Amino acid sequence: MSDIAVSPDTDPYRMGHQPRAKGHGHGHHGGDATGHGEGGPASKRTVVAYGFWIFLLSDIIMFSAFFATYAVLVDATAGGPSGRQLFELPRVAIETACLLASSFACGLAMIASQVRNHLWTQVALLATGVLGLVFLGLELQEFAIMIDQGAGPTRSAFLSAFFALVGLHGLHVFTGLLWLGTMMAQVAVKGFHPRILRRLMCFSLFWHALDIIWVALFTVVYLIGTTS
């Protein structure tokens, strides 16, 4: 068989090809198939966001394993204190309020960055960082009090699982704060370059994901732990 040359203007699988008007297609209702989509390749922002969501999903899977471990070991106190004797809900409520408020401030920072407002972007990012530091400080204080009472991670399997789960979240918050400081410096030096805006978007997704995980942790570990 001889090869048949296809003109770029009539190739239905050319990226960005627009389908023919209705009634002019041969064998297709509403025009030829476009193959790669009418709009061409996705934007860089969409590709980066999609890839970062995949990373976040893998992180959530890791947290799920820690949650499952905690659920199995929650009653393995080895004669030591349980969550009902150790957890202080007022302190944890303040931690939760700080983290949720920091997520709100992070959302404001993203809005300010979209309208290219340097001042309010930095103010909102700073508020996010301060509230995150308060949350982390209260969590470390809780750990110190528990260890001082002899309820450290080596006391029982329950406490090992507790420190591992809550500590893993705290480590993520600490990493997010380092990332936040880097982003504030980059915005101050480089401005709202598209690459910087994409990084801000990824940080925002990461920070909001930490909030979602904390709400689950607050419910499963603290609320249920103090009532069971």
Side-chain angles (χ1 to χ4, degrees):
M1 286 181 67
S2 61
D3 294 331
I4 300 176
V6 179
S7 170
D9 295 330
T10 60
D11 182 5
Y13 299 103
R14 180 170 60 87
M15 187 173 293
H17 172 76
Q18 297 295 329
R20 297 179 182 179
K22 189 173 182 179
H24 292 82
H26 299 287
H28 296 280
H29 296 288
D32 294 327
T34 59
H36 294 284
E38 296 179 13
S43 66
K44 185 73 172 178
R45 179 184 177 88
T46 302
V47 173
V48 170
Y50 180 76
F52 197 74
W53 268 116
I54 294 176
F55 161 75
L56 288 179
L57 289 174
S58 67
D59 213 33
I60 290 173
I61 291 173
M62 178 179 64
F63 269 102
S64 299
F66 276 73
F67 270 105
T69 303
Y70 177 83
V72 171
L73 299 176
V74 66
D75 293 324
T77 58
S82 65
R84 190 167 186 175
Q85 287 83 47
L86 294 172
F87 300 153
E88 299 179 14
L89 279 185
R91 179 197 305 275
V92 182
I94 296 174
E95 292 180 40
T96 303
C98 288
L99 197 60
L100 293 178
S102 73
S103 185
F104 177 74
C106 183
L108 294 180
M110 291 302 299
I111 294 174
S113 68
Q114 293 303 315
V115 298
R116 308 297 194 272
N117 189 311
H118 279 266
L119 175 62
W120 285 109
T121 298
Q122 294 286 38
V123 168
L125 289 176
L126 179 62
T128 303
V130 170
L131 290 167
L133 279 173
V134 173
F135 167 85
L136 199 60
L138 289 172
E139 190 170 89
L140 291 175
Q141 187 181 48
E142 178 188 25
F143 285 175
I145 292 174
M146 291 175 64
I147 293 173
D148 188 58
Q149 294 174 346
T154 60
R155 177 63 183 83
S156 64
F158 156 68
L159 287 169
S160 297
F162 167 79
F163 275 91
L165 176 58
V166 180
L168 178 65
H169 181 270
L171 181 61
H172 277 70
V173 172
F174 177 72
T175 303
L177 290 174
L178 294 179
W179 187 0
L180 173 61
T182 302
M183 292 312 307
M184 291 181 67
Q186 291 186 358
V187 170
V189 174
K190 300 181 179 180
F192 295 113
H193 189 278
R195 184 170 59 251
I196 304 300
L197 291 176
R198 289 194 295 269
R199 293 172 184 171
L200 275 175
M201 175 191 64
C202 291
F203 168 76
S204 178
L205 292 174
F206 178 79
W207 199 255
H208 292 318
L210 291 184
D211 265 26
I212 295 172
I213 294 171
W214 176 257
V215 170
L217 196 153
F218 174 71
T219 303
V220 173
V221 175
Y222 290 100
L223 288 183
I224 297 178
T226 54
T227 57
S228 60

